[in-house]
Amino acid sequence: MDTLPNVNPRRGGQEYSYAGLTSNVYPEVQNPQVENSHTGVTSNFVPMENHHWFVFRVLYGHDNEVVEALKAASVQLYIPLHYDKVEIKGKERLRKVPLLPGLLFAYMTREKTCEFVKQPARTARFLKYYTDKTKPIESDTLHNPPIIVSDSVMDRFIDASSIKNEHSMMLPNERCRFKKDQLVKVIKGDFKGVVGKVVRAAGQQRVGIEIEGVGIFVTAYIPSDFMIIYNDENP
């Protein structure tokens, strides 16, 4: 698959220090000048057999090299961006910054990932799996297994994180409380069409999409009458 612009479709042996999420700490933005062409897919990507969304950690300063290597191999990737409000010459403006600094999502087979994370691959020194510490170590790699995000969750995440709104954010699980284990769909407002679960986060009712092992993406405040129950009969 080819990589596509990040737009809102509806509108080796050494150890390195990686920028990324820990359970409680979110690092500073490493590159505030990220452009649309640097990343992304639309939320209507076509699923492929034996392909999965893998989460990778990228060594600070090597994001362009990794992106170019993946694009050259026709790997579909997504680096979510966040809209941050800043003041420029006395005027408030929104700029795009990485939502998850040091992390990227790529859609490929497990075998294909080895072409980028294992020697002698050029990217092996600065591209690593983001692993799931809650699962047993794999005997063949002696590491925890890589985090894999399902197509359906990734589709919702891409859809929601592509919307231009400075009040959406990524939070660790312990800072969110889901009200019900039930999917809802937003039918009004900036986040119209987004599907997720009602969550209490940052003191407000929002819609959240959990990416297991990474965190929970939450929208801005969503009133109750802006949501309906999401199911097969009411898509």
Side-chain angles (χ1 to χ4, degrees), residues 167-182:
H167 300 297
S168 58
M169 64 187 79
M170 199 80 188
L171 294 173
N173 290 52
E174 57 267 26
R175 290 181 58 188
C176 301
R177 180 173 59 85
F178 286 106
K179 293 189 173 182
K180 291 183 179 180
D181 188 22
Q182 186 177 54

Side-chain angles (χ1 to χ4, degrees), residues 115-225:
E115 298 179 17
F116 302 96
V117 299
K118 291 188 176 181
Q119 298 289 354
R122 181 172 59 86
T123 55
R125 292 189 304 109
F126 39 82
L127 182 70
K128 304 294 181 183
Y129 294 121
Y130 196 61
T131 57
D132 188 344
K133 302 298 191 297
T134 66
K135 295 182 180 178
I137 291 176
E138 296 180 328
S139 58
D140 55 337
T141 64
L142 300 182
H143 292 92
N144 300 99
I147 289 176
I148 294 176
V149 185
S150 70
D151 288 357
S152 59
V153 170
M154 197 67 196
D155 184 75
R156 293 167 192 155
F157 174 55
I158 293 172
D159 194 26
S161 61
S162 296
I163 293 172
K164 186 176 182 178
N165 190 294
E166 72 272 24
H167 300 297
S168 58
M169 64 187 79
M170 199 80 188
L171 294 173
N173 290 52
E174 57 267 26
R175 290 181 58 188
C176 301
R177 180 173 59 85
F178 286 106
K179 293 189 173 182
K180 291 183 179 180
D181 188 22
Q182 186 177 54
L183 289 175
V184 298
K185 182 176 183 178
V186 182
I187 57 173
K188 297 179 183 179
D190 290 346
F191 291 91
K192 182 178 179 180
V194 167
V195 175
K197 296 179 182 179
V198 181
V199 64
R200 185 76 180 179
Q204 293 182 325
Q205 176 176 274
R206 304 166 184 253
V207 170
I209 297 98
E210 181 178 5
I211 301 177
E212 190 174 350
V214 178
I216 300 174
F217 177 84
V218 297
T219 66
Y221 167 69
I222 306 290
S224 296
D225 59 355

